[in-house]
Amino acid sequence: MLDLDELVNNDGSEQSREIFWNQDLYQLEIERIFSRCWLFLTHESLIPKYGDFVSARMAEEEIIVCRQKDDTIRAFINSCTHRGNQVCHAESGNARAFICNYHGWAYGTDGALVDIPLEQRCNAQVNKEDCGLPQVRVESYRGFLYGCFDAEAPNLEEYLGEFGWLLDTWMIGAGNGVELLGPPSKSVLDCNWKVPAENFVGDAYHVGWTHAAALEVMGGELAGLAGNRADMPFDDMGKQFTTRHGHGFGVINNAATSIHIDRADYDTFMAEQLPKVAENLGEARADLFNGHWNCTLFPNNSFLYGTNTFKVWHPRGPHQIEVWSWTLVHKDMDRELRKKIQIGAAFTFGTAGTLEADDGENMMTCTHSNRGSVTRRGTLRSTMGLNHEGPHPDYPGIVGASFIGETSYRGFYRFYKEILKAQSWDAVRDNDDSWDSTFENRDFWKNRPTAS
Amino acid sequence: MPTDTKPKVATARRVTAELQHQIEQHYYTEARMLQDELFREWLEQLVAPDIHYWLPVYEQRFRRDKRPAPTPDDAAIYNDDYAMLKMRVERLYTGQVWMEDPPSRIRYSISNVEAYHTEIPGELQVYSNFTIQRHRRQTEHYTHTGGRQDLLRQDGTTFKLARRKIDLDARVVQDKNLYFFA
């Protein structure tokens, strides 16, 4: 029997290796994390017209997301209520109905069961009103659509909380906001879903070493990190953030476009937007706008603002994921720039990306080395920058002093443990005022002479 | 699987048996260079400076879906020019690609080579199929199958690759990356 208190220590800086391997724990994650949290589905711009749909996934559940006649968006489970067959096998399209291949049961674009072949003549004895495709809560944040299975969960805006305030920096800070370009590339990776989630939430540490080869060849501001050889004032080069519900990111100042190979037009675009961000949202967020952000929206939605890759790590059991990757662009970018961004993002973080290719093996063996039960008795640590973090005068959440640190790892795993232990969302809400008390150095920023 | 409609097979002029043989031998040499990690030589000797090297993302759509097949303006896994290919190649020579140390093994089988003349003298439209086997570490084994549509430019007794469109059969890539040259 698993002792949930033993999985992660109090401040989130030490984890049992069990969390990357244990099948029972995986089932508990499905029930208490993936069946309760908001999971990324798609972006509104990818289903612009009535009847436009995409096939999405929420952990291991197949989902259809479809735009309705009244322009609202619905999401429902992609499995016939008769015998369970999947009712839609296309990844996207425009539909007036979803018809099951098995016996021809037909569902409307709202998921309602509208037709049962031979219903009267053969005494089907089904109450159609009760047999629609089960509906999923779906809400939008700045055009990004998320689904949730738990009626008791906070709404999406509350779930994101202060993380949303921070994401607004580039989601609405300038012009008309951002959107995604699809279709997503898809690949299978033999790792636990938390390995890439933790990597994106707070691992700028690995960049200089894991990605040394690509950085050296591609140049740009981050090339200085290659091989960890440079002596840099890391504390003045960026920050890390962790907020309620485990979301977090690291930001490298003024490095947004740094790993794009064809970036002149992108740099110009960003320079034009920057004053608008200051005007719309104030200086604190304007200071982050031109930074490079590595983010995870808890639990499994990760993205790199600046590098423009936007990903979901769909769990497929404890030891495998499916990676879906879109390209993140500003709506105000012209066609040429969007194309450059899409090509650049694929070049670095696509399925054959010059940086992405470096990560896969690490993620795989970080998982599979835990198959040995003796190895698994050990723990893993994310202590870098512990106590070099705290509440900040200008930003919400807990802010770490350096982009190379593990502040947002600790925030991620602190919440991971909290939600695994919680019997319901009400139990989570009980901690809303005290969640960050495990970050003990409350006066870190106040006492830091060079705090900026 | 969508393919280019040009050249029309019924009307396009097939190459002679001798030229067909040269093209096949060229592909075998190319495969061997890539198997032997002669990436710089491959790029310098077999790839034209105006290369477009392209592996588009294909979504699975209903047959009734009339949206056009992907173009180079759409999502892709490779959408490279020569400078990008050169960066990919040079990355492999930095000595810092940890996952290739110890090196992995890759093996190419090229088949179904079908070559046609185009309207431009010396330019050939060539279709081929590939099976690529990757072995890594102790037990990792990945297989990739697909087709290629190449534009080859005759260069004396050899050929330069000017366009390559790679159609990968798998929708969900069954490998940790596609960092190899198909």
Side-chain angles (χ1 to χ4, degrees):
Chain A
M1 188 63 189
L2 281 165
D3 182 348
L4 297 179
D5 278 314
E6 296 293 313
L7 297 180
V8 178
N9 73 344
N10 190 43
D11 63 17
S13 67
E14 192 174 335
Q15 304 87 32
S16 163
R17 287 170 174 263
E18 285 288 348
I19 69 170
F20 299 108
W21 194 259
N22 189 294
Q23 179 73 44
D24 294 338
L25 181 59
Y26 176 73
Q27 289 308 325
L28 194 68
E29 289 175 348
I30 292 294
E31 286 164 31
R32 295 197 171 173
I33 295 175
F34 292 97
S35 305
R36 282 175 172 178
C37 292
W38 287 92
L39 307 177
F40 180 73
L41 296 171
T42 189
H43 191 278
E44 285 177 12
S45 61
L46 295 172
I47 44 171
K49 297 189 301 292
Y50 166 51
D52 284 352
F53 71 89
V54 294
S55 293
R57 196 174 291 161
M58 294 171 66
E60 304 210 48
E61 325 285 339
E62 300 293 340
I63 305 292
I64 297 169
V65 187
C66 188
R67 189 175 289 267
Q68 308 296 298
K69 213 169 204 167
D70 65 1
D71 222 29
T72 60
I73 286 161
R74 283 179 181 264
F76 34 87
I77 291 177
N78 187 359
S79 172
C80 185
T81 58
H82 177 216
R83 302 307 309 156
N85 195 32
Q86 192 169 319
V87 300
C88 178
H89 289 278
E91 292 175 67
S92 77
N94 184 278
R96 286 294 174 268
F98 298 101
I99 298 170
C100 178
N101 289 347
Y102 198 174
H103 304 91
W105 285 31
Y107 300 87
T109 52
D110 57 355
L113 178 58
V114 292
D115 187 60
I116 298 175
L118 309 179
E119 182 181 10
Q120 303 302 330
R121 265 186 289 171
C122 298
N123 298 305
Q125 306 189 51
V126 171
N127 183 353
K128 291 213 278 289
E129 282 174 16
D130 296 338
C131 293
L133 301 174
Q135 299 283 318
V136 179
R137 283 179 76 181
V138 53
E139 292 181 18
S140 168
Y141 191 78
R142 313 301 188 200
F144 292 79
L145 296 167
Y146 291 79
C148 181
F149 292 118
D150 190 341
E152 304 302 317
N155 66 36
L156 178 61
E157 198 174 336
E158 290 165 354
Y159 178 73
L160 296 177
E162 292 164 333
F163 189 59
W165 186 90
L166 289 157
L167 292 180
D168 282 350
T169 302
W170 43 270
M171 282 195 171
I172 58 164
N176 290 304
V178 289
E179 63 185 359
L180 297 180
L181 303 179
S185 57
K186 299 181 175 180
S187 60
V188 168
L189 187 57
D190 288 330
C191 72
N192 184 274
W193 65 272
K194 293 186 293 299
V195 182
E198 68 173 36
N199 175 272
F200 274 64
V201 84
D203 204 323
Y205 183 23
H206 83 294
V207 174
W209 192 253
T210 292
H211 301 304
L215 295 181
E216 197 170 291
V217 169
M218 292 166 55
E221 290 88 338
L222 298 188
L225 298 173
N228 291 333
R229 290 182 290 266
D231 180 21
M232 291 183 176
F234 288 108
D235 277 12
D236 297 321
M237 292 172 61
K239 293 182 177 66
Q240 281 192 65
F241 298 78
T242 187
T243 63
R244 185 71 181 121
H245 305 141
H247 318 304
F249 67 104
V251 60
I252 309 176
N253 295 338
N254 298 314
T257 66
S258 59
I259 63 165
H260 274 278
I261 44 171
D262 183 359
R263 53 186 277 202
D265 292 345
Y266 190 11
D267 282 330
T268 304
F269 177 87
M270 293 295 280
E272 286 167 3
Q273 304 304 311
L274 187 58
K276 300 182 206 166
V277 185
E279 196 177 308
N280 293 337
L281 302 177
E283 289 298 330
R285 282 181 283 182
D287 284 348
L288 302 176
F289 181 77
N290 202 32
H292 183 278
W293 300 32
N294 53 281
C295 318
T296 292
L297 193 161
F298 191 91
N300 65 331
N301 174 206
S302 298
F303 36 97
L304 302 176
Y305 163 76
T307 295
N308 309 85
T309 191
F310 190 95
K311 294 175 184 286
V312 180
W313 324 107
H314 295 296
R316 298 181 11 154
H319 314 138
Q320 193 175 71
I321 61 170
E322 207 170 288
V323 182
W324 292 13
S325 302
W326 294 259
T327 304
L328 177 72
V329 291
H330 286 269
K331 289 181 185 173
D332 293 334
M333 289 172 169
D334 63 28
R335 198 163 163 269
E336 274 305 299
L337 182 53
R338 290 157 78 98
K339 184 183 168 186
K340 280 183 187 174
I341 296 281
Q342 191 171 35
I343 290 173
F347 183 72
T348 52
F349 276 94
T351 313
T354 49
L355 282 89
E356 178 122 322
D358 296 318
D359 287 313
E361 171 156 277
N362 293 345
M363 291 177 181
M364 191 168 151
T365 64
C366 283
T367 300
H368 285 264
S369 54
N370 298 307
R371 73 180 179 276
S373 61
V374 176
T375 302
R376 209 158 63 239
R377 289 177 204 157
T379 58
L380 298 165
R381 59 225 79 258
S382 51
T383 50
M384 186 175 271
L386 184 66
N387 291 324
H388 293 250
E389 62 209 354
H392 191 280
D394 301 327
Y395 299 106
I398 292 294
V399 182
S402 170
F403 74 95
I404 297 190
E406 287 159 344
T407 300
S408 34
Y409 264 77
R410 293 187 283 279
F412 180 92
Y413 281 111
R414 193 212 60 75
F415 183 66
Y416 171 79
K417 178 173 156 181
E418 180 186 347
I419 195 162
L420 274 183
K421 286 175 64 180
Q423 295 299 317
S424 68
W425 265 104
D426 276 341
V428 176
R429 287 188 185 93
D430 288 344
N431 302 326
D432 278 353
D433 294 331
S434 60
W435 71 271
D436 66 354
S437 61
T438 57
F439 295 89
E440 292 179 347
N441 191 356
R442 311 306 295 178
D443 295 328
F444 172 74
W445 287 100
K446 207 189 318 180
N447 297 335
R448 190 166 178 265
T450 57
S452 55
Chain B
M1 179 63 68
T3 55
D4 286 351
T5 52
K6 294 190 297 186
K8 297 273 185 266
V9 172
T11 56
R13 192 159 57 92
R14 281 184 191 270
V15 300
T16 61
E18 190 190 347
L19 189 50
Q20 169 84 18
H21 177 72
Q22 287 173 14
I23 293 167
E24 287 176 4
Q25 290 299 311
H26 172 79
Y27 279 153
Y28 300 155
T29 302
E30 178 184 27
R32 187 165 49 79
M33 286 169 97
L34 293 170
Q35 284 166 188
D36 292 347
E37 300 191 323
L38 299 171
F39 303 116
R40 280 178 177 150
E41 291 82 354
W42 170 71
L43 193 65
E44 286 161 15
Q45 295 167 24
L46 304 191
V47 178
D50 62 338
I51 178 77
H52 180 234
Y53 185 92
W54 182 39
L55 195 168
V57 172
Y58 283 103
E59 206 175 26
Q60 291 182 354
R61 297 173 178 170
F62 286 126
R63 290 176 186 273
R64 66 167 186 266
D65 196 321
K66 298 300 180 215
R67 285 177 292 171
T71 74
D73 286 340
D74 297 308
I77 292 171
Y78 281 86
N79 203 349
D80 286 18
D81 60 15
Y82 191 91
M84 292 163 78
L85 281 179
K86 190 170 168 61
M87 271 189 261
R88 290 189 195 269
V89 163
E90 288 306 315
R91 173 181 167 275
L92 296 168
Y93 290 90
T94 59
Q96 297 178 96
V97 181
W98 316 128
M99 70 175 294
E100 286 298 324
D101 193 9
S104 62
R105 302 290 295 262
I106 190 164
R107 184 120 358 237
Y108 294 74
S109 297
I110 305 297
S111 67
N112 301 64
V113 176
E114 202 188 336
Y116 300 91
H117 293 281
T118 67
E119 306 86 70
I120 300 169
E123 288 200 348
L124 304 164
Q125 177 86 28
V126 189
Y127 301 87
S128 59
N129 289 351
F130 62 81
T131 300
I132 295 174
Q133 308 280 347
R134 293 176 100 188
H135 285 263
R136 302 191 66 260
R137 300 302 189 227
Q138 298 289 300
T139 57
E140 286 178 51
H141 175 209
Y142 306 96
T143 303
H144 300 280
T145 64
R148 308 188 301 197
Q149 297 177 40
D150 290 351
L151 185 70
L152 291 186
R153 209 170 278 145
Q154 279 181 290
D155 180 28
T157 55
T158 180
F159 304 93
K160 287 263 169 105
L161 181 66
R163 303 280 179 277
R164 175 162 284 172
K165 181 189 177 205
I166 302 157
D167 288 321
L168 195 68
D169 292 333
R171 168 58 177 117
V172 180
V173 170
Q174 307 287 313
D175 197 344
K176 58 167 65 65
N177 65 57
L178 288 176
Y179 203 98
F180 59 83
F181 304 104

PDB file of all heavy atoms in Angstrom, chain A residues 178-204:
ATOM      1  N   VAL A 178      -2.717  35.451 -28.976  1.00  0.00           N
ATOM      2  CA  VAL A 178      -1.983  34.338 -29.591  1.00  0.00           C
ATOM      3  C   VAL A 178      -2.938  33.219 -29.990  1.00  0.00           C
ATOM      4  O   VAL A 178      -4.069  33.151 -29.513  1.00  0.00           O
ATOM      5  CB  VAL A 178      -0.909  33.788 -28.624  1.00  0.00           C
ATOM      6  CG1 VAL A 178       0.233  34.768 -28.474  1.00  0.00           C
ATOM      7  CG2 VAL A 178      -1.492  33.462 -27.266  1.00  0.00           C
ATOM      8  N   GLU A 179      -2.472  32.351 -30.845  1.00  0.00           N
ATOM      9  CA  GLU A 179      -3.248  31.183 -31.244  1.00  0.00           C
ATOM     10  C   GLU A 179      -2.290  30.064 -31.631  1.00  0.00           C
ATOM     11  O   GLU A 179      -1.072  30.234 -31.593  1.00  0.00           O
ATOM     12  CB  GLU A 179      -4.195  31.517 -32.398  1.00  0.00           C
ATOM     13  CG  GLU A 179      -3.487  31.947 -33.673  1.00  0.00           C
ATOM     14  CD  GLU A 179      -4.470  32.393 -34.744  1.00  0.00           C
ATOM     15  OE1 GLU A 179      -5.692  32.359 -34.505  1.00  0.00           O
ATOM     16  OE2 GLU A 179      -4.000  32.760 -35.838  1.00  0.00           O
ATOM     17  N   LEU A 180      -2.865  28.920 -32.003  1.00  0.00           N
ATOM     18  CA  LEU A 180      -2.036  27.764 -32.351  1.00  0.00           C
ATOM     19  C   LEU A 180      -2.190  27.423 -33.819  1.00  0.00           C
ATOM     20  O   LEU A 180      -3.270  27.565 -34.390  1.00  0.00           O
ATOM     21  CB  LEU A 180      -2.444  26.543 -31.511  1.00  0.00           C
ATOM     22  CG  LEU A 180      -2.258  26.654 -30.009  1.00  0.00           C
ATOM     23  CD1 LEU A 180      -2.700  25.362 -29.323  1.00  0.00           C
ATOM     24  CD2 LEU A 180      -0.804  26.964 -29.652  1.00  0.00           C
ATOM     25  N   LEU A 181      -1.095  26.946 -34.410  1.00  0.00           N
ATOM     26  CA  LEU A 181      -1.135  26.394 -35.750  1.00  0.00           C
ATOM     27  C   LEU A 181      -1.043  24.878 -35.641  1.00  0.00           C
ATOM     28  O   LEU A 181      -0.203  24.342 -34.923  1.00  0.00           O
ATOM     29  CB  LEU A 181       0.043  26.923 -36.578  1.00  0.00           C
ATOM     30  CG  LEU A 181       0.169  28.443 -36.710  1.00  0.00           C
ATOM     31  CD1 LEU A 181       1.404  28.797 -37.537  1.00  0.00           C
ATOM     32  CD2 LEU A 181      -1.082  29.046 -37.333  1.00  0.00           C
ATOM     33  N   GLY A 182      -1.911  24.199 -36.345  1.00  0.00           N
ATOM     34  CA  GLY A 182      -1.898  22.751 -36.375  1.00  0.00           C
ATOM     35  C   GLY A 182      -1.677  22.289 -37.790  1.00  0.00           C
ATOM     36  O   GLY A 182      -1.339  23.100 -38.649  1.00  0.00           O
ATOM     37  N   PRO A 183      -1.935  21.029 -38.097  1.00  0.00           N
ATOM     38  CA  PRO A 183      -2.252  19.984 -37.129  1.00  0.00           C
ATOM     39  C   PRO A 183      -1.034  19.658 -36.269  1.00  0.00           C
ATOM     40  O   PRO A 183       0.098  19.905 -36.684  1.00  0.00           O
ATOM     41  CB  PRO A 183      -2.644  18.795 -38.023  1.00  0.00           C
ATOM     42  CG  PRO A 183      -1.971  19.048 -39.325  1.00  0.00           C
ATOM     43  CD  PRO A 183      -1.865  20.535 -39.472  1.00  0.00           C
ATOM     44  N   PRO A 184      -1.284  19.093 -35.089  1.00  0.00           N
ATOM     45  CA  PRO A 184      -0.151  18.760 -34.238  1.00  0.00           C
ATOM     46  C   PRO A 184       0.667  17.621 -34.826  1.00  0.00           C
ATOM     47  O   PRO A 184       0.118  16.725 -35.469  1.00  0.00           O
ATOM     48  CB  PRO A 184      -0.816  18.311 -32.928  1.00  0.00           C
ATOM     49  CG  PRO A 184      -2.182  17.844 -33.321  1.00  0.00           C
ATOM     50  CD  PRO A 184      -2.580  18.694 -34.506  1.00  0.00           C
ATOM     51  N   SER A 185       1.986  17.677 -34.615  1.00  0.00           N
ATOM     52  CA  SER A 185       2.786  16.483 -34.855  1.00  0.00           C
ATOM     53  C   SER A 185       2.611  15.579 -33.634  1.00  0.00           C
ATOM     54  O   SER A 185       2.316  16.065 -32.539  1.00  0.00           O
ATOM     55  CB  SER A 185       4.249  16.831 -35.084  1.00  0.00           C
ATOM     56  OG  SER A 185       4.756  17.547 -33.996  1.00  0.00           O
ATOM     57  N   LYS A 186       2.736  14.273 -33.841  1.00  0.00           N
ATOM     58  CA  LYS A 186       2.474  13.319 -32.768  1.00  0.00           C
ATOM     59  C   LYS A 186       3.564  12.253 -32.733  1.00  0.00           C
ATOM     60  O   LYS A 186       3.978  11.772 -33.791  1.00  0.00           O
ATOM     61  CB  LYS A 186       1.115  12.628 -32.982  1.00  0.00           C
ATOM     62  CG  LYS A 186      -0.074  13.585 -32.998  1.00  0.00           C
ATOM     63  CD  LYS A 186      -1.394  12.841 -33.178  1.00  0.00           C
ATOM     64  CE  LYS A 186      -2.581  13.802 -33.076  1.00  0.00           C
ATOM     65  NZ  LYS A 186      -3.873  13.088 -33.244  1.00  0.00           N
ATOM     66  N   SER A 187       3.992  11.915 -31.541  1.00  0.00           N
ATOM     67  CA  SER A 187       4.967  10.833 -31.414  1.00  0.00           C
ATOM     68  C   SER A 187       4.819  10.156 -30.060  1.00  0.00           C
ATOM     69  O   SER A 187       4.226  10.728 -29.136  1.00  0.00           O
ATOM     70  CB  SER A 187       6.397  11.361 -31.586  1.00  0.00           C
ATOM     71  OG  SER A 187       6.689  12.325 -30.598  1.00  0.00           O
ATOM     72  N   VAL A 188       5.355   8.959 -29.986  1.00  0.00           N
ATOM     73  CA  VAL A 188       5.308   8.184 -28.750  1.00  0.00           C
ATOM     74  C   VAL A 188       6.670   8.265 -28.077  1.00  0.00           C
ATOM     75  O   VAL A 188       7.701   8.201 -28.740  1.00  0.00           O
ATOM     76  CB  VAL A 188       4.964   6.709 -29.064  1.00  0.00           C
ATOM     77  CG1 VAL A 188       5.186   5.820 -27.852  1.00  0.00           C
ATOM     78  CG2 VAL A 188       3.515   6.608 -29.535  1.00  0.00           C
ATOM     79  N   LEU A 189       6.668   8.446 -26.782  1.00  0.00           N
ATOM     80  CA  LEU A 189       7.922   8.468 -26.029  1.00  0.00           C
ATOM     81  C   LEU A 189       7.748   7.586 -24.798  1.00  0.00           C
ATOM     82  O   LEU A 189       6.744   7.726 -24.076  1.00  0.00           O
ATOM     83  CB  LEU A 189       8.257   9.909 -25.631  1.00  0.00           C
ATOM     84  CG  LEU A 189       9.610  10.167 -24.982  1.00  0.00           C
ATOM     85  CD1 LEU A 189      10.760   9.702 -25.863  1.00  0.00           C
ATOM     86  CD2 LEU A 189       9.759  11.652 -24.653  1.00  0.00           C
ATOM     87  N   ASP A 190       8.706   6.698 -24.577  1.00  0.00           N
ATOM     88  CA  ASP A 190       8.596   5.758 -23.460  1.00  0.00           C
ATOM     89  C   ASP A 190       9.086   6.383 -22.170  1.00  0.00           C
ATOM     90  O   ASP A 190      10.187   6.089 -21.689  1.00  0.00           O
ATOM     91  CB  ASP A 190       9.391   4.478 -23.778  1.00  0.00           C
ATOM     92  CG  ASP A 190       8.706   3.650 -24.836  1.00  0.00           C
ATOM     93  OD1 ASP A 190       7.468   3.697 -24.925  1.00  0.00           O
ATOM     94  OD2 ASP A 190       9.410   2.964 -25.593  1.00  0.00           O
ATOM     95  N   CYS A 191       8.261   7.290 -21.634  1.00  0.00           N
ATOM     96  CA  CYS A 191       8.613   7.907 -20.355  1.00  0.00           C
ATOM     97  C   CYS A 191       7.352   8.177 -19.555  1.00  0.00           C
ATOM     98  O   CYS A 191       6.256   8.202 -20.101  1.00  0.00           O
ATOM     99  CB  CYS A 191       9.385   9.213 -20.575  1.00  0.00           C
ATOM    100  SG  CYS A 191       8.385  10.562 -21.181  1.00  0.00           S
ATOM    101  N   ASN A 192       7.528   8.389 -18.260  1.00  0.00           N
ATOM    102  CA  ASN A 192       6.429   8.810 -17.417  1.00  0.00           C
ATOM    103  C   ASN A 192       6.061  10.255 -17.772  1.00  0.00           C
ATOM    104  O   ASN A 192       6.936  11.079 -18.043  1.00  0.00           O
ATOM    105  CB  ASN A 192       6.842   8.696 -15.945  1.00  0.00           C
ATOM    106  CG  ASN A 192       5.713   9.039 -15.000  1.00  0.00           C
ATOM    107  OD1 ASN A 192       5.504  10.207 -14.663  1.00  0.00           O
ATOM    108  ND2 ASN A 192       4.963   8.039 -14.572  1.00  0.00           N
ATOM    109  N   TRP A 193       4.774  10.586 -17.705  1.00  0.00           N
ATOM    110  CA  TRP A 193       4.315  11.911 -18.128  1.00  0.00           C
ATOM    111  C   TRP A 193       4.920  13.042 -17.300  1.00  0.00           C
ATOM    112  O   TRP A 193       5.036  14.173 -17.780  1.00  0.00           O
ATOM    113  CB  TRP A 193       2.781  11.987 -18.072  1.00  0.00           C
ATOM    114  CG  TRP A 193       2.194  11.865 -16.685  1.00  0.00           C
ATOM    115  CD1 TRP A 193       1.848  10.716 -16.040  1.00  0.00           C
ATOM    116  CD2 TRP A 193       1.896  12.937 -15.778  1.00  0.00           C
ATOM    117  NE1 TRP A 193       1.360  10.996 -14.786  1.00  0.00           N
ATOM    118  CE2 TRP A 193       1.366  12.355 -14.601  1.00  0.00           C
ATOM    119  CE3 TRP A 193       2.015  14.326 -15.842  1.00  0.00           C
ATOM    120  CZ2 TRP A 193       0.978  13.110 -13.495  1.00  0.00           C
ATOM    121  CZ3 TRP A 193       1.619  15.075 -14.751  1.00  0.00           C
ATOM    122  CH2 TRP A 193       1.105  14.473 -13.594  1.00  0.00           C
ATOM    123  N   LYS A 194       5.315  12.760 -16.072  1.00  0.00           N
ATOM    124  CA  LYS A 194       5.826  13.835 -15.217  1.00  0.00           C
ATOM    125  C   LYS A 194       7.243  14.262 -15.598  1.00  0.00           C
ATOM    126  O   LYS A 194       7.666  15.360 -15.252  1.00  0.00           O
ATOM    127  CB  LYS A 194       5.801  13.393 -13.743  1.00  0.00           C
ATOM    128  CG  LYS A 194       4.386  13.206 -13.208  1.00  0.00           C
ATOM    129  CD  LYS A 194       4.347  12.903 -11.726  1.00  0.00           C
ATOM    130  CE  LYS A 194       4.934  11.564 -11.365  1.00  0.00           C
ATOM    131  NZ  LYS A 194       4.226  10.404 -11.994  1.00  0.00           N
ATOM    132  N   VAL A 195       7.969  13.390 -16.290  1.00  0.00           N
ATOM    133  CA  VAL A 195       9.354  13.744 -16.617  1.00  0.00           C
ATOM    134  C   VAL A 195       9.391  14.955 -17.559  1.00  0.00           C
ATOM    135  O   VAL A 195      10.064  15.950 -17.265  1.00  0.00           O
ATOM    136  CB  VAL A 195      10.138  12.539 -17.168  1.00  0.00           C
ATOM    137  CG1 VAL A 195      11.586  12.938 -17.442  1.00  0.00           C
ATOM    138  CG2 VAL A 195      10.091  11.380 -16.191  1.00  0.00           C
ATOM    139  N   PRO A 196       8.682  14.931 -18.685  1.00  0.00           N
ATOM    140  CA  PRO A 196       8.674  16.159 -19.495  1.00  0.00           C
ATOM    141  C   PRO A 196       7.920  17.311 -18.824  1.00  0.00           C
ATOM    142  O   PRO A 196       8.292  18.476 -19.023  1.00  0.00           O
ATOM    143  CB  PRO A 196       7.984  15.730 -20.793  1.00  0.00           C
ATOM    144  CG  PRO A 196       7.197  14.513 -20.446  1.00  0.00           C
ATOM    145  CD  PRO A 196       7.975  13.818 -19.359  1.00  0.00           C
ATOM    146  N   ALA A 197       6.890  17.003 -18.028  1.00  0.00           N
ATOM    147  CA  ALA A 197       6.147  18.089 -17.364  1.00  0.00           C
ATOM    148  C   ALA A 197       7.061  18.845 -16.404  1.00  0.00           C
ATOM    149  O   ALA A 197       7.073  20.077 -16.374  1.00  0.00           O
ATOM    150  CB  ALA A 197       4.924  17.522 -16.633  1.00  0.00           C
ATOM    151  N   GLU A 198       7.862  18.118 -15.627  1.00  0.00           N
ATOM    152  CA  GLU A 198       8.776  18.785 -14.684  1.00  0.00           C
ATOM    153  C   GLU A 198       9.896  19.506 -15.444  1.00  0.00           C
ATOM    154  O   GLU A 198      10.348  20.574 -15.052  1.00  0.00           O
ATOM    155  CB  GLU A 198       9.367  17.778 -13.676  1.00  0.00           C
ATOM    156  CG  GLU A 198      10.330  16.773 -14.305  1.00  0.00           C
ATOM    157  CD  GLU A 198      11.070  15.865 -13.306  1.00  0.00           C
ATOM    158  OE1 GLU A 198      10.472  15.478 -12.292  1.00  0.00           O
ATOM    159  OE2 GLU A 198      12.247  15.552 -13.570  1.00  0.00           O
ATOM    160  N   ASN A 199      10.319  18.894 -16.560  1.00  0.00           N
ATOM    161  CA  ASN A 199      11.377  19.506 -17.348  1.00  0.00           C
ATOM    162  C   ASN A 199      10.943  20.872 -17.877  1.00  0.00           C
ATOM    163  O   ASN A 199      11.696  21.842 -17.820  1.00  0.00           O
ATOM    164  CB  ASN A 199      11.751  18.557 -18.499  1.00  0.00           C
ATOM    165  CG  ASN A 199      12.763  19.163 -19.444  1.00  0.00           C
ATOM    166  OD1 ASN A 199      12.401  19.846 -20.393  1.00  0.00           O
ATOM    167  ND2 ASN A 199      14.040  18.927 -19.184  1.00  0.00           N
ATOM    168  N   PHE A 200       9.720  20.946 -18.378  1.00  0.00           N
ATOM    169  CA  PHE A 200       9.252  22.224 -18.925  1.00  0.00           C
ATOM    170  C   PHE A 200       8.878  23.207 -17.821  1.00  0.00           C
ATOM    171  O   PHE A 200       8.967  24.412 -18.006  1.00  0.00           O
ATOM    172  CB  PHE A 200       8.067  22.002 -19.873  1.00  0.00           C
ATOM    173  CG  PHE A 200       8.472  21.694 -21.291  1.00  0.00           C
ATOM    174  CD1 PHE A 200       9.182  20.540 -21.593  1.00  0.00           C
ATOM    175  CD2 PHE A 200       8.155  22.557 -22.331  1.00  0.00           C
ATOM    176  CE1 PHE A 200       9.570  20.252 -22.896  1.00  0.00           C
ATOM    177  CE2 PHE A 200       8.545  22.281 -23.642  1.00  0.00           C
ATOM    178  CZ  PHE A 200       9.246  21.129 -23.925  1.00  0.00           C
ATOM    179  N   VAL A 201       8.432  22.710 -16.675  1.00  0.00           N
ATOM    180  CA  VAL A 201       7.990  23.646 -15.639  1.00  0.00           C
ATOM    181  C   VAL A 201       9.168  24.402 -15.048  1.00  0.00           C
ATOM    182  O   VAL A 201       9.035  25.564 -14.656  1.00  0.00           O
ATOM    183  CB  VAL A 201       7.177  22.931 -14.527  1.00  0.00           C
ATOM    184  CG1 VAL A 201       8.059  22.307 -13.457  1.00  0.00           C
ATOM    185  CG2 VAL A 201       6.198  23.905 -13.869  1.00  0.00           C
ATOM    186  N   GLY A 202      10.336  23.746 -15.013  1.00  0.00           N
ATOM    187  CA  GLY A 202      11.391  24.451 -14.302  1.00  0.00           C
ATOM    188  C   GLY A 202      12.797  23.971 -14.554  1.00  0.00           C
ATOM    189  O   GLY A 202      13.634  24.031 -13.662  1.00  0.00           O
ATOM    190  N   ASP A 203      13.082  23.505 -15.761  1.00  0.00           N
ATOM    191  CA  ASP A 203      14.426  22.985 -15.951  1.00  0.00           C
ATOM    192  C   ASP A 203      15.204  23.739 -17.017  1.00  0.00           C
ATOM    193  O   ASP A 203      15.441  23.231 -18.113  1.00  0.00           O
ATOM    194  CB  ASP A 203      14.400  21.490 -16.260  1.00  0.00           C
ATOM    195  CG  ASP A 203      15.710  20.818 -15.881  1.00  0.00           C
ATOM    196  OD1 ASP A 203      16.763  21.452 -16.072  1.00  0.00           O
ATOM    197  OD2 ASP A 203      15.691  19.675 -15.388  1.00  0.00           O
ATOM    198  N   ALA A 204      15.639  24.934 -16.669  1.00  0.00           N
ATOM    199  CA  ALA A 204      16.597  25.631 -17.530  1.00  0.00           C
ATOM    200  C   ALA A 204      18.002  25.103 -17.249  1.00  0.00           C
ATOM    201  O   ALA A 204      18.930  25.339 -18.028  1.00  0.00           O
ATOM    202  CB  ALA A 204      16.551  27.130 -17.289  1.00  0.00           C
TER     203      ALA A 204
END
